[in-house]
Amino acid sequence: MQLIWKQPDNTLAVTILSDEVLVDGFDVSDYAGHLVTIGVVPVSWQLIGVDIPWPESSWKQETYKWDGTQIIVDIAKAQTEVAERIEIQFKTALTEPVSSSALGAPHTYQADESARNFLNNLVTFGTGGRFACVDAVGVVERRQHTAEQLLQVGSDMRAAIETKFDHYESLLEQTAAATTESQLLNIHW
């Protein structure tokens, strides 16, 4: 059994009752009052019901609120939740390997921060150097690159990162413009 509480800001809290509490003669109102009296539940919370159906979606609990008759999703809080999820996915995407044909055939290059910094250093020196990449058969090796090849890897990496930034910004715009839960549930990286 779940006791559903409305907090002063209309967000919800849930108290789940164990079967041991549910004995013959159990009175929900008395028990709710007892929870308030012993300080388990703040005095400012209001019991709104027992086992009220929740929406099908799986937002964080604080994203739901009581509208006076039912549990609904607070769109502003759901937008924040989606934006936070997208930011995490964006940061992960920035470190995904990048493909470049700078060596004449496609090779895969690490794009984490240390790899980008090392590439930047090699490009800055302008003399070429050995830089790790993976060939088409999966062999990882530090291969010699000319200065021009390193510039091409850097250009390909920049293009891949810019594409990810564009996608991220587009998703944030969609999130901010969303006015329904359904729209928010359809925003994915």
Side-chain angles (χ1 to χ4, degrees):
M1 176 182 288
Q2 295 181 343
L3 302 182
I4 314 297
W5 303 87
K6 179 177 74 89
Q7 299 175 63
D9 65 355
N10 283 334
T11 57
L12 303 174
V14 178
T15 303
I16 300 174
L17 305 181
S18 68
D19 291 338
E20 294 141 6
V21 174
L22 305 173
V23 295
D24 287 337
F26 175 79
D27 183 277
V28 172
S29 296
D30 287 345
Y31 191 73
H34 174 70
L35 291 175
V36 172
T37 302
I38 64 171
V40 172
V41 174
V43 175
S44 60
W45 290 12
Q46 175 188 358
L47 180 66
I48 57 172
V50 177
D51 293 333
I52 298 173
W54 287 77
E56 294 286 324
S57 55
S58 58
W59 301 100
K60 294 177 184 173
Q61 184 174 321
E62 60 269 14
T63 304
Y64 296 99
K65 68 180 182 179
W66 181 250
D67 75 349
T69 60
Q70 63 183 341
I71 297 171
I72 62 169
V73 173
D74 182 319
I75 295 300
K77 288 183 179 180
Q79 287 172 318
T80 299
E81 193 173 323
V82 170
E84 289 169 352
R85 176 179 43 86
I86 290 168
E87 182 174 1
I88 291 167
Q89 293 167 330
F90 166 65
K91 287 178 179 178
T92 300
L94 286 178
T95 64
E96 292 172 353
V98 172
S99 179
S100 175
S101 294
L103 293 175
H107 285 75
T108 303
Y109 295 82
Q110 291 301 313
D112 60 25
E113 186 176 357
S114 63
R116 292 191 313 258
N117 286 338
F118 185 59
L119 176 61
N120 185 49
N121 290 339
L122 289 173
V123 168
T124 300
F125 296 141
T127 59
R130 292 166 46 95
F131 194 62
C133 56
V134 182
D135 65 17
V137 294
V139 176
V140 179
E141 185 179 334
R142 288 183 57 231
R143 293 178 171 84
Q144 185 63 39
H145 291 69
T146 66
E148 294 76 23
Q149 290 169 328
L150 290 171
L151 280 171
Q152 184 60 51
V153 172
S155 178
D156 293 339
M157 198 171 287
R158 186 194 79 239
I161 289 170
E162 285 179 356
T163 298
K164 292 169 187 175
F165 265 101
D166 291 345
H167 185 58
Y168 171 65
E169 290 166 351
S170 172
L171 292 176
L172 288 181
E173 289 170 5
Q174 290 175 42
T175 301
T179 58
T180 67
E181 180 183 12
S182 176
Q183 290 171 329
L184 290 168
L185 290 171
N186 285 310
I187 298 173
H188 303 283
W189 180 257

